[in-house]
Amino acid sequence: MPITVEKLNYIYQPNTPFEQTALRQISFTINDGEIIGIMGASGSGKSTLLQCLNGLLRPAGGKIILDGIDITKLSARELNQIRRRIALAFQYPEQQIFETRVYDEVAFGPRNLGLDTGEVEKRVQKALIDTGLNYDYFKNKETASLSSGEKRRVSLAGVLALKAPYLLLDEPTAGLDFEGKVALINHLTDINCQYQTTIVLVSHDINQLVSTCSRIIILHEGQLYLEGYPGDLLRNYAALKACGIEVPTFQELIYRLNCRGWDLNDSISSLPEASREIGKKING
Ligand SMILES: Nc1ncnc2c1ncn2[C@@H]1O[C@H](COP(=O)(O)OP(=O)(O)OP(=O)(O)O)[C@@H](O)[C@H]1O
Ligand SMILES: [Mg+2]
């Protein structure tokens, strides 16, 4: 079922001198089986939004309808059940990892689901392999000894091992090398195709979101600033720049050439379109 967010507000430390409104009147829908991207400058509210969606933070107002239920009204116990269906990978793996051994860390979620030992082992093995870690080498490693990229992979493996129908991933490729990023994104699109898993992907990399997501939402100072299909959003150069989004290089090039009087069509959404547009101008 789709997830519907209606007029969501979140305030940190309300009624104190440190009160900070992080989300204001956010409304949008996440369709079933879609990969939706969330972008926005630092502090725009992306992590807060994901933590509200997963019930870790309780909003000050608004609704989040998941599987037909408004989860903002649920008790802490009911929310524990919901979190098995809508799994969150934190922005910082250190916030998520608390077991001493890699195996136990990844097995934590599946064990909580009450699965038998054999199924838990199968899931841990697959999740570690899917996140690019050698099972035999890593299973007994101490989590404290892992590099930051390995910690990222282990924390993602723990989330993937839940096989949840909804995945919330907060900057999952941060800290991974180029090949690791490509492999992870390919794996996410595979899961999405194979199991129709709904994925919410937070990233600062517009190229990554444009090539992976069916829709993108842009937050700005806690508000929903832009929402649309990747191609349509990319045509909005000025609006993207205004809220601190780094636009793709081809768009920057067209913009700069236009500033020098080239008069190119700036309604383009891909590198081939940009090179055709420039070629037309050069060749008259
Ligand atoms: N625990 C907290 N107490 C008070 N304010 C907070 C807390 N956590 C976040 N904030 C504030 O809420 C706003 C939104 O923060 P959030 O972490 O959701 O942003 P973000 O878009 O995820 O940023 P980034 O790209 O840096 O991860 C920011 O202004 C931040 O300072
Ligand atoms: Mg964040």
Side-chain angles (χ1 to χ4, degrees), residues 12-13 20 22 41-48 91 171 204:
Y12 284 104
Q13 305 182 46
Q20 164 91 40
S42 203
S44 57
K46 305 177 297 294
S47 298
T48 307
Q91 178 171 3
E171 304 198 29
H204 281 280

Side-chain angles (χ1 to χ4, degrees), residues 9 13 27 113-114 119 128 167 208 226 231 234 241-242 271 275:
N9 291 318
Q13 305 182 46
S27 298
L113 293 176
E119 176 62 19
L128 286 175
L167 281 183
Q208 184 182 81
L226 281 175
L234 285 183
K241 283 297 248 193
L271 180 59
S275 61

Side-chain angles (χ1 to χ4, degrees), residues 86-97:
I86 183 156
L88 169 67
F90 283 82
Q91 178 171 3
Y92 303 107
E94 293 75 14
Q95 291 177 320
Q96 198 170 316
I97 294 175

Side-chain angles (χ1 to χ4, degrees), residues 83-84 86-90 96 105-106 109-110 123 127 131 152-164 166-169 188 191:
R83 279 191 211 109
R84 297 173 172 194
I86 183 156
L88 169 67
F90 283 82
Q96 198 170 316
E105 179 59 38
V106 181
R123 288 200 184 191
T131 49
R152 165 77 59 200
R153 289 168 196 269
V154 167
S155 68
L156 287 168
V159 168
L160 295 178
L162 282 168
K163 291 195 177 175
Y166 306 100
L167 281 183
L168 309 171
L169 307 174
L188 294 176
I191 297 177

